[in-house]
Amino acid sequence: MAALLYALRTLARDWKSGEIGVLVVALLVAVGSLTAIAFFTDRVSKGVERQATEVLAADLRVRSSDEPNPDFFVEAGARGLDSARVLAFPSVVNFGDEGQLAALRAVSEGYPLRGALRVADDLFSSAYVVRDIPPPGEVWAESGLLARLGMAVGDTLQVGAVELRLTRVLEYRPDQSVGFVALAPTVLMNLADIPASGLVVPGSRVTWAALFAGGDAEIARFRAWLEPELVEGERLQDLSDAGEQVTGAIDRAQRFLTLASLVSVLLAAVAVAMAARRYAARHVDSVALMKCLGAPQRFVLQVGLWQLTLLALVAGVLGSVIGWLAQFGIAWLLAELVGGALPAPGWLPALMGLVTSLAVLTGFALPPIVQLRTVAPLRVLRRDLPPPRVAAWVSATTAIGVVVLMLYWVLRDLRLLLVVVGGIAVLLAALVLAGWLLVRVSGRLRGGVGVSWRYGLANISRRGGESITQVVAFGLGLMVLLLLTVVRNDLLDGWRASLPEDAPNNFIINVQPEELASVREIFRANDIEPPVFSPLVRARISHLNGVPVRELEVTDPDGRGLLTREANLSWSAPLPASNTLVAGRWWAEDSRGTEVSIEEGIAQSLGLGVGDTLGFSIAGEPLTGQITSIRAVAWDSFDPNFFVLFQPGEIEEFPTTWITSVFVPRDERTALLELVRQHPSVSVIDLESIIAQVRQVMDRASLAVQYVFGFTLLAGVVVLLAAVQATRDERRYESAMLRTFGARQGVVLRGIVAEFVALGLLAGILASVGAVVIGQVLARQVFRLDYAVDPMVLFGGPILGALLVGIAGTLATRSVVRTPPVQTLRA
């Protein structure tokens, strides 16, 4: 208790005297910026996830071949959740003497629970959003059906035994498939018309879906109740079952936001480390006096620990409050850009703030504070007795351990963690080496320069250890700021460039081999460059490494889904443009054989690797291929992509259809109308709404990263100030002595400017190189984007370093130089 009371008194005294100002500000900026980022990105992530649930038209979806259990809807209603039903099955519909296979979807009131339907009043006219469904006696149909049957809005469509009037053209529904199995145009009808149609009887092959939506907490509790109630044949779907295009964009968005959060963590650690060293150094004399008065080492240690704990708690709470308030402000200012009201944040970021405060102080402030217990009482009489120094390995091990643990907690991505930690380790080694070389060289160069530069270079040489530390601090701070600039501009631009304005907005599927020439000619006749077509072969996976799939126990739901449904196979001589090889080798373009390349997500789900074998059943015939490569697929490129690619020469003999994706301007969509009229079996799937979703995800991620940049810039400024403050006392004494011996105030100030400009120039050079190298690695290995180095980063880094460090150092030490020498010497 005595140690706690003494710690409270000394903290209060230090606060009044301003000694802990830099440390507290650094810690508040660290916690405040991190929690503000965490709170805001938590809201953005929830908003993005809520937007992505439009792909399911709900938050939760239960699919089955039988009508959903009525108890599901009773329980959902009791919990305050919204619900709806969907019945889907293929059927031939008729208009006059013409018939056409259609994908019938009968829906109940409330559909869709997430997202909205878009319809048009006529073929290829402007679409608009509706909040209702077709009333009984009416249907809405996709344009492909109208084109094939020669129908117009207002005509009557025969659906089974009932006649329904076509009142609108269906342009978009949230849960429309963007895969290659939706081979028929959709007809949307009211579920109440199904009994009169006579199409659904016991034993009919239909798919039911029960949709549920509500608040996050209510959905989580309902899911926990629902999962044990599911029976054989019922499958629960959530966000993870959204289309690969949208989930791929969300994954990249989360990586960008995570990287942005990481930058603040690193800067916070550097700022606190610099401030803690100065704080400990200024307490050496007071600890020596305490020991002279009888205080044991244990008491000194307890006081230091209590001080750190109190600082961590206060900074953690206040910083979290600052972060919580800050995210509300930015969300309010940018409400229109982020799509209106965002979901409320959770409280996990507040816990992150407390943990961060404790972790940063433990890793970067604890070693010098603990070392105070070894201060010799004799220092009271001998002021020249040096203060105890923390063993380098102790300080480094503690700091590295805390940083790695914090980064892993924030990132939860081992690859990204290894890239960042590896890059920082290399940069730190380069900074330490460069600082050492600068100290050695500056002592030899000072004789050939002017008085001010001679004094500045002499300071660098004389304070060898401090100069190296400052180069490391300045370089790391500038590097992460430059890196964030690279991420905010170049990487985000590269991400947007992966989905350009002319990205494919239509999938064309089910093209027969004999129709390829005619389809290409239709595009040429309409002045549209014919797209590249990809082959598609339907198959089922029969064996994994020679073991029949029926004998395998696959726990991953994605893996089980792939083994229980038909797979889309294709072949390709070159590696597709939107694919990246992550393991193995790609086959030569002129080679033939049974080599197989699989997508990395499926490889992970099925536990497969290079050298394993996959067995397929294609049209009843067996075929086995050996995996020779694993690919990462950019699903959000909207190119035709496949989980499994064969080497040319093996599956061409099997029944094949062709698919492609193509960009067709809105005013040239008559080409698509002509295409479906001439080739009724060909299906055209409109992707514009899905592309709009992906672009919105990109915009939200970009906005969040720009928001983070402001907080990170503030943290970077604190790093620079903390590094400068570390030598304020020594500089005050040196300035007083120089001016006592006749040096003018201007000469001393210009010498300090020269010192900081030299330090900043060197730190800027290394920081710009480090930012470019790490940016390249992040782009290639983590985000899988093309990245062009911006020359302004290489040229601007040194200039920014010299200016920023020079100005910050001058402003922070100007008051020291202006302090009257007599005042300093008397103190």
Side-chain angles (χ1 to χ4, degrees), residues 632-644:
V633 177
W635 297 106
D636 53 2
S637 66
F638 291 90
D639 294 328
N641 280 303
F642 301 88
F643 288 114
V644 179

Side-chain angles (χ1 to χ4, degrees), residues 95 98 100 123 143-153 155 166 673 676-677:
F95 174 63
E98 299 291 329
Q100 171 65 42
L123 275 176
S143 58
L145 183 73
L146 278 69
R148 294 170 192 177
L149 294 179
M151 292 184 66
V153 172
D155 290 338
L166 177 66
L673 180 59
V676 295
R677 281 177 174 168

Side-chain angles (χ1 to χ4, degrees), residues 56-80:
L56 299 175
D59 294 327
L60 286 179
R61 184 184 186 106
V62 178
R63 290 187 59 188
S64 65
S65 56
D66 297 318
E67 190 167 358
N69 189 339
D71 293 342
F72 294 172
F73 300 96
V74 173
E75 183 68 23
R79 295 174 181 270

Side-chain angles (χ1 to χ4, degrees), residues 141-345:
E142 290 182 341
S143 58
L145 183 73
L146 278 69
R148 294 170 192 177
L149 294 179
M151 292 184 66
V153 172
D155 290 338
T156 299
L157 187 68
Q158 186 79 30
V159 181
V162 67
E163 291 186 346
L164 305 173
R165 191 165 65 92
L166 177 66
T167 55
R168 287 171 174 169
V169 179
L170 180 63
E171 290 284 342
Y172 169 75
R173 56 182 174 83
D175 53 346
Q176 70 185 30
S177 172
V178 295
F180 307 133
V181 295
L183 301 181
T186 297
V187 173
L188 192 69
M189 60 187 294
N190 196 296
L191 191 60
D193 287 325
I194 287 295
S197 71
L199 292 174
V200 179
V201 296
S204 297
R205 298 191 63 179
V206 298
T207 300
W208 284 90
L211 311 183
F212 305 99
D216 295 337
E218 290 78 11
I219 284 291
R221 287 192 288 268
F222 179 66
R223 178 177 186 143
W225 174 87
L226 182 62
E227 286 181 328
E229 301 294 324
L230 298 178
V231 298
E232 185 70 26
E234 292 179 333
R235 181 187 176 194
L236 184 63
Q237 296 177 298
D238 57 13
L239 176 61
S240 62
D241 297 286
E244 290 86 359
Q245 289 82 5
V246 176
T247 54
I250 293 171
D251 179 66
R252 277 187 176 172
Q254 291 173 340
R255 285 172 179 265
F256 277 120
L257 298 180
T258 299
L259 182 61
S261 300
L262 163 68
V263 174
S264 289
V265 175
L266 295 178
L267 284 176
V270 174
V272 170
M274 300 297 295
R277 289 184 61 200
R278 181 171 185 264
Y279 178 71
R282 291 178 64 85
H283 279 70
V284 170
D285 293 336
S286 61
V287 169
L289 183 60
M290 287 170 55
K291 287 194 170 184
C292 287
L293 297 176
Q297 283 192 3
R298 181 167 56 87
F299 180 81
V300 174
L301 179 60
Q302 289 175 346
V303 170
L305 293 177
W306 274 117
Q307 288 177 334
L308 288 181
T309 302
L310 292 171
L311 282 175
L313 291 176
V314 171
V317 172
L318 291 181
S320 297
V321 171
I322 292 172
W324 185 71
L325 293 174
Q327 62 85 22
F328 275 113
I330 197 67
W332 176 76
L333 289 173
L334 304 176
E336 293 185 2
L337 293 179
V338 296
L342 291 171

Side-chain angles (χ1 to χ4, degrees), residues 14-35:
D14 291 343
W15 176 260
K16 291 179 182 178
S17 64
E19 288 195 358
I20 62 172
V22 175
L23 177 61
V24 172
V25 170
L27 205 55
L28 283 177
V29 170
V31 177
S33 61
L34 184 62
T35 54

Side-chain angles (χ1 to χ4, degrees), residues 213-517:
D216 295 337
E218 290 78 11
I219 284 291
R221 287 192 288 268
F222 179 66
R223 178 177 186 143
W225 174 87
L226 182 62
E227 286 181 328
E229 301 294 324
L230 298 178
V231 298
E232 185 70 26
E234 292 179 333
R235 181 187 176 194
L236 184 63
Q237 296 177 298
D238 57 13
L239 176 61
S240 62
D241 297 286
E244 290 86 359
Q245 289 82 5
V246 176
T247 54
I250 293 171
D251 179 66
R252 277 187 176 172
Q254 291 173 340
R255 285 172 179 265
F256 277 120
L257 298 180
T258 299
L259 182 61
S261 300
L262 163 68
V263 174
S264 289
V265 175
L266 295 178
L267 284 176
V270 174
V272 170
M274 300 297 295
R277 289 184 61 200
R278 181 171 185 264
Y279 178 71
R282 291 178 64 85
H283 279 70
V284 170
D285 293 336
S286 61
V287 169
L289 183 60
M290 287 170 55
K291 287 194 170 184
C292 287
L293 297 176
Q297 283 192 3
R298 181 167 56 87
F299 180 81
V300 174
L301 179 60
Q302 289 175 346
V303 170
L305 293 177
W306 274 117
Q307 288 177 334
L308 288 181
T309 302
L310 292 171
L311 282 175
L313 291 176
V314 171
V317 172
L318 291 181
S320 297
V321 171
I322 292 172
W324 185 71
L325 293 174
Q327 62 85 22
F328 275 113
I330 197 67
W332 176 76
L333 289 173
L334 304 176
E336 293 185 2
L337 293 179
V338 296
L342 291 171
W347 287 105
L348 183 60
L351 175 62
M352 179 185 293
L354 286 172
V355 173
T356 299
S357 180
L358 286 168
V360 169
L361 282 178
T362 300
F364 294 89
L366 183 60
I369 296 296
V370 169
Q371 199 67 14
L372 286 176
R373 64 188 175 87
T374 62
V375 171
L378 187 60
R379 183 174 167 83
V380 173
L381 300 176
R382 291 186 55 189
R383 298 300 301 276
D384 60 331
L385 192 67
R389 291 188 174 273
V390 184
W393 70 270
V394 173
S395 182
T397 302
T398 305
I400 291 172
V402 169
V403 166
V404 171
L405 290 175
M406 286 178 59
L407 293 183
Y408 183 73
W409 188 42
V410 172
L411 294 176
R412 304 296 174 90
D413 186 324
L414 185 59
R415 177 184 291 178
L416 185 56
L417 176 68
L418 292 176
V419 169
V420 173
V421 171
I424 292 174
V426 173
L427 178 67
L428 285 176
L431 288 171
V432 171
L433 177 60
W436 180 80
L437 290 175
L438 178 63
V439 170
R440 296 294 299 271
V441 172
S442 60
R444 300 178 181 179
L445 294 179
R446 61 186 183 183
V449 293
V451 175
S452 298
W453 276 97
R454 188 182 309 140
Y455 171 58
L457 294 177
N459 282 342
I460 294 175
S461 178
R462 184 170 59 255
R463 298 191 190 95
E466 293 293 338
S467 297
I468 294 175
T469 302
Q470 287 182 330
V471 169
V472 172
F474 293 149
L476 185 59
L478 289 170
M479 189 275 289
V480 292
L481 287 176
L482 288 172
L483 180 60
L484 187 57
T485 302
V486 169
V487 170
R488 189 184 63 165
N489 295 328
D490 299 337
L491 290 184
L492 285 174
D493 288 346
W495 187 20
R496 292 192 188 96
S498 69
L499 188 62
E501 291 299 320
D502 59 350
N505 58 359
N506 289 272
F507 266 126
I508 300 176
I509 63 177
N510 204 33
V511 180
Q512 300 302 316
E514 63 272 13
E515 295 177 315
L516 281 173

